[in-house]
Amino acid sequence: MSVLEMVISTSFSPHSNTCLHSVSLHGICMACNSMIDEHYLYQRPFDFLSPGLQLSHDAVGLTKRLTTLSSALGEQKLHLVLDLDHTLLHSTKVSRLTEAEKYLLGEVACRDDLWDLKFNDYLVKLRPFLGDFLREANKMFTMHVYTMGTREYAEAIMEVIDPNRFYFGNRVITRDESPHTKTLDFVLADDRGAMIVDDTSDVWPEHQRNLIVISRYKYFRMKSSQDSKPYSEEKTDESEYNSGLVDVFRLLKEVHCRFFRVREDLGSKDVRLLLQERESTRV
């Protein structure tokens, strides 16, 4: 039985013939099959997981707790939320390429780290170590993408970095769900078992303790960098063996190992405390 099925089963009580309507699909309760008023309960839409899916506040909390417990006891996995732009890659409009960068258009066909997206004419440069990072992180984490980009943009990027959805499945959250700030409310995992990797900290106002800030990956020329030449014009790149992803992966692996060091304590372990402890030892 899946976690969501367990949550649905707790919603209906056959003894009292009552239902909490915790989970609905297109306005129909998945426990009792009755039509429910969308305003009857506070429900958060999870259309990115399944079109029309809504969970009540209590159902979200229960799903988070059960998901984290199930992942920890079973696969020994935590949850990892990854930003896209300037974290895993850098993208720019082809029309914004400088004269010194236009040589890249002729290299797209022969490079596996450079992609010409037909979606809105974007050129995408993958960050060094990205392939190894995703492959190794997948062994320790259930991974989610969370971007302030549009759904269309995110789906186009997924076709590049995870075309078979082996790493992320349908766990892709965009500004369509969260237009102004980012929140773990959309991540169906307990906050104590979820870590975030993002180059921008202020978009996570409520989850700073879960956040690992990664160095900002800037490959193409940006308006704010008029003085120094970018990697693209220098025809070089961030070192694959000393990149932001390498540094972050070391930290993720360390926290994962410490979380699962004593299995009997899994119910009380919290990645936020482990990250805080590590930070205090560096001061």
Side-chain angles (χ1 to χ4, degrees):
M1 181 183 291
S2 70
V3 168
L4 193 57
E5 288 173 334
M6 293 172 63
V7 173
I8 294 170
S9 69
T10 63
S11 180
F12 181 73
S13 173
H15 302 292
S16 59
N17 199 33
T18 58
C19 186
L20 299 175
H21 307 310
S22 299
V23 184
S24 67
L25 194 64
H26 300 296
I28 300 176
C29 177
M30 296 183 70
C32 66
N33 292 321
S34 62
M35 292 288 294
I36 59 173
D37 186 345
E38 291 184 358
H39 304 290
Y40 174 69
L41 289 174
Y42 168 72
Q43 293 199 322
R44 184 177 293 279
F46 285 86
D47 293 280
F48 62 94
L49 292 176
S50 181
L53 179 66
Q54 288 189 310
L55 277 69
S56 69
H57 179 79
D58 288 342
V60 170
L62 180 58
T63 303
K64 282 173 169 282
R65 291 191 296 275
L66 291 177
T67 298
T68 295
L69 191 60
S70 175
S71 297
L73 293 175
E75 301 175 288
Q76 290 194 25
K77 281 189 173 185
L78 297 173
H79 287 255
L80 179 61
V81 182
L82 298 169
D83 173 49
L84 287 180
D85 295 286
H86 299 295
T87 295
L88 303 185
L89 51 91
H90 187 192
S91 65
T92 189
K93 289 288 191 73
V94 171
S95 59
R96 294 178 183 167
L97 292 175
T98 65
E99 286 299 318
E101 292 176 315
K102 289 183 178 179
Y103 75 93
L104 292 167
L105 296 175
E107 296 188 355
V108 171
C110 59
R111 290 176 57 171
D112 59 6
D113 65 339
L114 196 62
W115 295 77
D116 185 6
L117 292 190
K118 300 308 176 187
F119 170 76
N120 280 355
D121 205 23
Y122 275 102
L123 190 63
V124 177
K125 172 64 175 64
L126 306 184
R127 193 167 195 164
F129 190 61
L130 176 59
D132 290 338
F133 176 87
L134 294 178
R135 182 168 56 254
E136 294 304 314
N138 186 58
K139 299 174 183 178
M140 300 182 292
F141 300 94
T142 296
M143 296 190 290
H144 311 246
V145 157
Y146 204 141
T147 175
M148 297 303 281
T150 64
R151 170 67 52 184
E152 286 182 291
Y153 173 75
E155 294 294 342
I157 294 296
M158 288 297 101
E159 287 300 311
V160 172
I161 67 174
D162 190 20
N164 298 318
R165 294 303 179 94
F166 179 73
Y167 297 126
F168 298 105
N170 56 2
R171 297 179 300 275
V172 179
I173 308 164
T174 71
R175 73 179 183 204
D176 292 9
E177 291 79 37
S178 180
H180 305 298
T181 58
K182 296 180 179 181
T183 173
L184 288 178
D185 290 351
F186 284 107
V187 178
L188 291 180
D190 204 331
D191 292 5
R192 72 178 184 87
M195 285 186 282
I196 304 160
V197 177
D198 201 319
D199 68 286
T200 307
S201 63
D202 57 9
V203 297
W204 293 98
E206 298 177 358
H207 303 288
Q208 292 287 308
R209 295 173 65 205
N210 300 80
L211 176 64
I212 299 171
V213 179
I214 191 172
S215 58
R216 189 175 175 90
Y217 182 55
K218 298 180 287 187
Y219 182 78
F220 302 106
R221 178 170 288 281
M222 300 174 65
K223 291 181 180 179
S224 59
S225 58
Q226 297 299 322
D227 298 329
S228 58
K229 281 189 175 183
Y231 289 134
S232 55
E233 293 181 7
E234 291 281 5
K235 297 186 178 181
T236 183
D237 204 351
E238 187 179 71
S239 169
E240 184 170 347
Y241 302 102
N242 192 29
S243 74
L245 286 176
V246 171
D247 294 337
V248 163
F249 181 76
R250 292 193 188 106
L251 176 54
L252 291 172
K253 188 174 182 179
E254 178 185 332
V255 173
H256 182 275
C257 288
R258 293 181 63 191
F259 190 97
F260 289 101
R261 186 170 295 164
V262 182
R263 288 183 59 83
E264 289 74 14
D265 295 340
L266 291 181
S268 61
K269 287 293 181 64
D270 193 321
V271 297
R272 294 167 295 191
L273 296 178
L274 296 175
L275 287 171
Q276 184 179 4
E277 288 172 9
R278 188 183 188 279
E279 188 63 29
S280 64
T281 61
R282 298 173 58 186
V283 177

